[in-house]
Amino acid sequence: MKIQKERNVEIVCTGSAVGKNIIYFDSSSEKIVAEKLQSNRNIYTRYRISEGEDQITLAIEAIEDAFRKTSKLSIEDIDCIVVASAVGYQPLPTTSAKILEELSKKYKLKRAVSTKDINTSCTSFLDAFDDAAMSINFGKYENVLIVSSELASLGLSTDNMHSFSMFSDGAAAIVVTKSEEYCIGFHYARTWPGTYDLTKIEGGLTKYLPSKFDGTNHEKYRFQMEGNKLIKLIKKEFVPMIKEILELEKLDINDIDYVIPHQASKALKLFMRNLGIKKDQFCDIFEDYGNMVAASIPFTLNHAYESNYLKGKDTVLLIGTSAGTSGHILLYKKSIRYR
C-alpha cells in the first residue's frame, strides 16, 4: 500500500428515508412484538415498505430530504447521479437512470446528466463517494448526487428470524461538490479470497435465473449469511487491516474524532471495542434502525449530522464490510489549512 493523495470534496447536504411500516422485535427471542416499551431495552425497531412504497419512492424521498437542508445547491445543479446500492430496481436500465427519470418528471428537468450505478454490496457508498471525489477533482463533474436505496426485507424470510430481525428498508442521499475546506484523506479496500460464499443471495441473475424458481428452492433466492464465520473473519483480518492503515497514515485511533460504521449487526459494539474506539466516539443506531445494506453507512452519516454528533469534528472515519468478503476504510476530514 502507498500513501494516497487527498481528494478535495465537501458533503453539501444529506437526507434519508425509511419504509413506513414499523415492526418491533424482541432481540432476545427474535420474535415480533406488538409495541416498544421504554422499560424493555431488548426491543429493536425495524422499518419495512408499505403499500405504495418501493425502492424508487424511498430514494426520491431521501433526495428531497437532503435538498431541503441546503440553499447552496438545487436538484437542477446536479450533473451526475450515482446509485450506490447492492440490489438494483431492475436488471436494465440502471437504477440511476430511473432516478433521473423520476426527478425529471417531478421537477421538469430538461438537462441531460451523467448516471451510473456502483455496487460493492454494503460498502457501495464508500466506493461511490471516492469515485465522485476523484471525478470532481479532475473536472469531470461539479456536483454529484449519491443515493443508496435498499429493500432488504424482500430477500428475507421468517424461516430465519435472526436475519429477518436484522434489516430495515431505507434510503440515504448525499450531495458532494469540490471544496478546499474538506477532503477524502484516503480510501482503502481489500477483498479476502476464500470468503465469497459467507454472505450471499444466489438467485435472480445468471447463476439462477428467475425462471429457475420453482417454489421449492426459496433458499436460492433469499439472503444467506454465516454470521459466526464473518465475526471471526472481521476480528482476524479487518481489525488488523484498520490498525495497519492508520499506522501507515501516521494516525492513532485517538486522532479520529468520530467513526461512522456500517450497522452490520449487534456485534458492532464488540468490533468497536476491538479497535479501541470508545462508546461516545462512534455512531450506533443498530437497535433503532438495523442494517440497511448499502444504505446503512450514508443513513448513519445523515443521522450523525442531524443529531449534531459531527459538530466540531475534523476527522471522520467511515468503515464497513461487504459481501465477497471485503473491508473498507475511508477518512473524510477538514483540510489542515482550515483546522
Side-chain angles (χ1 to χ4, degrees):
M1 290 188 296
K2 295 182 179 179
I3 297 290
Q4 299 179 7
K5 293 181 180 180
E6 295 180 349
R7 294 75 114 170
N8 291 100
V9 68
E10 180 178 354
I11 296 173
V12 178
C13 56
T14 66
S16 68
V18 292
K20 292 180 176 57
N21 183 23
I22 303 175
I23 300 175
Y24 302 109
F25 290 92
D26 185 328
S27 62
S28 58
S29 65
E30 294 177 342
K31 292 182 178 180
I32 298 174
V33 295
E35 58 183 335
K36 182 171 185 177
L37 300 175
Q38 294 299 323
S39 58
N40 191 339
R41 296 184 180 181
N42 293 323
I43 302 300
Y44 288 166
T45 306
R46 298 293 181 257
Y47 297 84
R48 305 288 163 82
I49 55 169
S50 57
E51 187 176 352
E53 293 183 301
D54 62 21
Q55 188 173 12
I56 304 304
T57 62
L58 285 187
I60 298 299
E61 187 179 339
I63 292 167
E64 292 176 330
D65 182 47
F67 279 103
R68 274 194 294 268
K69 300 172 186 174
T70 183
S71 59
K72 292 182 180 179
L73 295 173
S74 68
I75 291 175
E76 288 80 3
D77 295 316
I78 297 300
D79 50 12
C80 180
I81 298 173
V82 183
V83 166
S85 296
V87 179
Y89 182 64
Q90 63 185 54
L92 288 173
T94 60
T95 307
S96 53
K98 178 63 174 175
I99 297 295
L100 174 61
E101 186 80 1
E102 295 305 311
L103 289 175
S104 297
K105 290 177 184 176
K106 193 166 187 178
Y107 295 95
K108 296 179 171 57
L109 305 180
K110 302 296 183 183
R111 186 167 60 96
V113 303
S114 177
T115 61
K116 68 171 76 172
D117 288 13
I118 291 179
N119 177 6
T120 53
S121 186
C122 295
T123 52
S124 299
F125 169 72
L126 298 185
D127 276 309
F129 187 18
D130 196 21
D131 180 83
M134 289 188 284
S135 295
I136 288 170
N137 276 255
F138 278 100
K140 187 175 181 180
Y141 307 122
E142 292 184 5
N143 308 306
V144 178
L145 164 63
I146 305 169
V147 60
S148 301
S149 183
E150 301 279 17
L151 304 185
S153 64
L154 301 186
L156 303 175
S157 169
T158 52
D159 292 340
N160 184 342
M161 287 300 293
H162 177 67
S163 293
F164 192 75
S165 64
M166 280 177 56
F167 294 88
S168 280
D169 297 338
I174 313 289
V175 179
V176 296
T177 192
K178 191 168 185 180
S179 167
E180 295 301 320
E181 188 172 355
Y182 294 91
C183 67
I184 290 177
F186 57 75
H187 172 218
Y188 294 95
R190 288 179 182 169
T191 300
W192 296 288
T195 65
Y196 180 76
D197 286 322
L198 294 183
T199 309
K200 61 186 178 182
I201 298 176
E202 295 180 284
L205 295 177
T206 61
K207 182 179 182 180
Y208 295 106
L209 293 169
S211 58
K212 295 295 183 183
F213 178 73
D214 61 11
T216 66
N217 55 353
H218 291 272
E219 74 284 353
K220 299 296 184 186
Y221 295 83
R222 287 177 177 159
F223 177 78
Q224 301 174 59
M225 179 178 69
E226 297 190 46
N228 290 333
K229 288 185 179 180
L230 280 169
I231 291 172
K232 290 178 181 178
L233 174 71
I234 289 167
K235 187 174 182 179
K236 179 184 176 183
E237 300 288 356
F238 193 35
V239 171
M241 170 188 163
I242 293 173
K243 292 179 178 179
E244 178 188 350
I245 287 167
L246 292 179
E247 184 177 346
L248 175 71
E249 294 284 346
K250 295 181 172 52
L251 286 171
D252 185 85
I253 198 65
N254 294 315
D255 295 327
I256 305 300
D257 292 327
Y258 205 68
V259 179
I260 303 292
H262 171 42
Q263 309 292 307
S265 72
K266 61 183 179 182
L268 176 61
K269 291 182 177 66
L270 175 62
F271 175 44
M272 293 291 108
R273 193 157 58 242
N274 287 335
L275 284 170
I277 298 172
K278 303 179 183 68
K279 186 169 66 173
D280 61 352
Q281 200 180 357
F282 71 97
C283 193
D284 180 4
I285 57 172
F286 181 77
E287 180 180 316
D288 294 324
Y289 293 99
N291 186 333
M292 294 186 185
V293 200
S296 179
I297 294 176
F299 188 95
T300 306
L301 181 63
N302 174 70
H303 180 85
Y305 275 121
E306 288 186 337
S307 305
N308 289 321
Y309 297 155
L310 299 181
K311 189 175 182 179
K313 304 293 193 296
D314 291 339
T315 55
V316 180
L317 198 66
L318 291 81
I319 56 178
T321 54
S322 57
T325 302
S326 301
H328 286 242
I329 172 171
L330 183 149
L331 182 69
Y332 177 62
K333 66 175 185 174
K334 205 166 190 177
S335 298
I336 294 174
R337 74 186 78 174
Y338 285 93
R339 290 190 188 182

